[in-house]
Amino acid sequence: MESLDGIEEVFAVVDNNILEEIEVPEPRNPKVYFRDVDPFNDYSEDCFKKRFRFSKNVIHIILPKITGFLESETQRGLPITPLCQLLTALRFYATGSFQIVCGDIMHISQLTVCNIVKRVSRALAMLMPDFIKFPANLRNIKAAFENLGCIGRAPGLKNIVGAIDCTHIKITKPRGIIHTKQYRNRKGYFSLNVQVVGGPNLIIYDIVARWAGSTHDSRIFRNSRLNIRLSNNEIDGMLLADGGYTCTRYLLTPILNPRTAHEERYNKVQIKIRNSVERLFGVWKRRFPCLQIGLATKLSTTANIIIACAVLHNIAIGVNDTFEVRRC
């Protein structure tokens, strides 16, 4: 009996040593869901617009168009509502901050924010055919461009339907791609070279967001569907571009060495009208600073984010929902 008691004491000591060596995992943090935050009631109209770049009424216009893409098939795991997903993505577009910061503000994880931004951006990009297109009646557009180019009593250029230019959206170095150097632009950073055609009221008529930063503007246009439509007279009108493009019958560029007064006046009118697309870039990037600061997402998601911001920009212009940055 004494020997058995001694053996039991030895095993008890061994068991205690094993228990001391085993690290007991800490309990997982409880899930915190977005429903604890209610931006519509927590913020006033002005504060809401500063944080999400749109008024509350416009949110109710955007949401029904993408609800079908955001709804969960089941209620397993307490899925986040389409409204909360849209506001999370808009918060990311409006700040250009790290996803983990947006997640802390919205009380969700960084991985959830990543999935939401990817899903919402794809849903908004699918609306591109409905919101990014040339109007059916171009007569008013031509008249607006002609009035925009007036200098004194002299009329502006006629038959103009848009101004074209490219802008660089900064990205991180792409991964999983053999030719990554082609995304480094002439200024030395990685980017996507995005082609945009703008109207007189700063609306976007056409956008191409798939070319690497080192690609020349004229090459993007030559390989675009817009070039084919213009050459086939599917679009009745001409575009204005800078000196980096080739002058054609439907693409007007400045005269490099004007010799007469008429040529000088043409350059002034051409530049005055073409500046509308530069103003468009400024308004577009001020509303969505993520385009100005840069994007660290995958290339496919980055392209969807750019197009999604273009769709949202046109929706805002369509409902006259202006946004101004107030400097401190």
Side-chain angles (χ1 to χ4, degrees), residues 142 144-160 162-163 240-241 252-255 261-276 279:
K142 295 178 181 179
F145 271 120
E146 184 176 357
N147 294 332
L148 184 63
C150 291
I151 298 178
R153 296 182 179 180
L157 298 177
K158 296 183 178 181
N159 205 31
I160 303 299
L240 296 183
L252 302 182
T253 60
I255 299 176
H262 293 286
E263 291 179 348
E264 292 180 355
R265 180 186 172 279
Y266 163 79
N267 277 357
K268 291 181 180 179
V269 174
Q270 202 268 359
I271 293 173
K272 184 178 180 181
I273 298 177
R274 182 168 49 85
N275 281 342
S276 61
R279 296 196 302 271

Side-chain angles (χ1 to χ4, degrees), residues 71-285:
E71 288 181 338
S72 177
E73 297 180 357
T74 65
Q75 295 300 315
R76 184 178 179 181
L78 298 177
I80 299 177
T81 62
L83 173 61
C84 299
Q85 295 182 51
L86 175 59
L87 294 181
T88 301
L90 291 179
R91 183 67 173 174
F92 175 77
Y93 301 156
T95 59
S97 181
F98 292 103
Q99 294 177 351
I100 191 171
V101 177
C102 296
D104 292 340
I105 296 173
M106 302 301 182
H107 293 180
I108 52 180
S109 65
Q110 181 271 332
L111 181 59
T112 303
V113 175
C114 179
N115 293 331
I116 288 175
V117 170
K118 181 179 179 180
R119 189 182 305 115
V120 174
S121 299
R122 184 171 61 249
L124 289 171
M126 293 179 67
L127 301 178
M128 176 179 171
D130 298 328
F131 292 96
I132 301 180
K133 59 183 178 179
F134 283 89
N137 186 3
L138 297 174
R139 183 178 302 175
N140 295 333
I141 302 301
K142 295 178 181 179
F145 271 120
E146 184 176 357
N147 294 332
L148 184 63
C150 291
I151 298 178
R153 296 182 179 180
L157 298 177
K158 296 183 178 181
N159 205 31
I160 303 299
V161 296
I164 186 173
D165 201 357
C166 289
T167 182
H168 288 270
I169 305 298
K170 186 178 180 180
I171 62 174
T172 56
K173 183 178 180 180
R175 297 181 180 180
I177 299 178
I178 299 176
H179 304 288
T180 58
K181 293 184 179 180
Q182 63 182 350
Y183 287 90
R184 191 185 296 275
N185 60 23
R186 65 183 184 276
K187 296 183 180 179
Y189 61 86
F190 294 95
S191 68
L192 287 179
N193 198 6
V194 181
Q195 175 182 279
V196 174
V197 176
N201 56 347
L202 307 185
I203 199 168
I204 297 175
Y205 291 152
D206 187 84
I207 184 170
V208 179
R210 61 184 178 86
W211 289 87
S214 63
T215 310
H216 197 273
D217 297 358
S218 60
R219 181 186 176 188
I220 297 175
F221 176 71
R222 287 197 308 269
N223 292 274
S224 66
R225 182 172 177 269
L226 176 64
N227 183 27
I228 298 175
R229 295 181 64 191
L230 287 168
S231 61
N232 293 337
N233 296 323
E234 295 180 19
I235 300 176
D236 181 21
M238 297 180 291
L239 301 179
L240 296 183
D242 57 23
Y245 292 85
T246 302
C247 184
T248 63
R249 63 179 177 83
Y250 49 81
L251 187 67
L252 302 182
T253 60
I255 299 176
L256 295 181
N257 299 310
R259 299 179 180 179
T260 64
H262 293 286
E263 291 179 348
E264 292 180 355
R265 180 186 172 279
Y266 163 79
N267 277 357
K268 291 181 180 179
V269 174
Q270 202 268 359
I271 293 173
K272 184 178 180 181
I273 298 177
R274 182 168 49 85
N275 281 342
S276 61
V277 71
E278 299 293 343
R279 296 196 302 271
L280 187 157
F281 289 149
V283 173
W284 188 33
K285 292 183 178 182

